Amino acid sequence: MIRLDFLENSFVLLSLLPFFPFLLVYFIHYRWKHNRKASLKLAMDVTTLFLIISVSALFNLTFGSRFGFYLILLLLLISVGLVGSAQNRLKGRIDIQKMAKLIWRMSFVIMSFSYLLFTIFGILKYIFITMS
């Protein structure tokens, strides 16, 4: 039971601070493989999961809803359809691995921006609520 609590608490902490797993994975992988590009890609891939959880929680807190995670999943599914359709039109076939990498890494960029935006908005909202 203690191991499960430790894993759960670690996951929550890493979700609250998604830049921490990015730095952790990047530096560990870079020390191991000495390849900056591969380390950056792996760190982005790992951090995307934590960013999705963080952004959905921040969305829920900011707007007082419980729809954040489902909205992100919906947007991911829509992007799968759009990218798959574009691949099918351009190449005549769908490369699922390339599509998944593209969407996952685009999600990293969008979720990073959303995380910063919702964090700033949440801080400003907290300040204005406490001042009034």
Side-chain angles (χ1 to χ4, degrees):
M1 196 63 158
I2 293 174
R3 281 188 189 171
L4 187 59
D5 289 339
F6 175 74
L7 288 175
E8 184 179 327
N9 292 337
S10 299
F11 190 76
V12 168
L13 177 67
L14 293 175
S15 294
L16 289 173
L17 304 169
F19 56 88
F20 186 69
F22 179 85
L23 296 173
L24 188 69
V25 170
Y26 178 80
F27 287 120
I28 289 173
H29 190 265
Y30 182 72
R31 292 281 264 160
W32 184 37
K33 295 285 186 174
H34 299 290
N35 185 344
R36 289 182 196 264
K37 189 174 181 179
S39 300
L40 182 65
K41 287 180 179 181
L42 181 64
M44 287 172 58
D45 291 342
V46 169
T47 306
T48 302
L49 175 66
F50 295 108
L51 280 169
I52 289 172
I53 294 165
S54 296
V55 169
S56 66
L58 287 170
F59 179 88
N60 291 343
L61 286 172
T62 302
F63 295 109
S65 75
R66 298 183 58 93
F67 188 66
F69 183 72
Y70 301 112
L71 179 64
I72 292 171
L73 285 180
L74 178 65
L75 293 174
L76 287 173
L77 287 172
I78 290 170
S79 62
V80 165
L82 292 172
V83 171
S85 174
Q87 274 188 353
N88 191 31
R89 276 183 304 191
L90 293 174
K91 296 182 181 181
R93 62 180 178 82
I94 297 173
D95 187 353
I96 294 175
Q97 188 174 9
K98 278 188 178 184
M99 180 177 58
K101 282 183 185 179
L102 173 70
I103 291 169
W104 197 247
R105 296 206 175 125
M106 278 181 14
S107 296
F108 173 80
V109 172
I110 293 168
M111 292 297 139
S112 297
F113 177 73
S114 299
Y115 178 80
L116 291 173
L117 186 70
F118 282 132
T119 301
I120 292 168
F121 186 74
I123 290 170
L124 291 175
K125 181 179 174 184
Y126 177 77
I127 290 171
F128 286 125
I129 287 173
T130 56
M131 290 182 76
S132 54

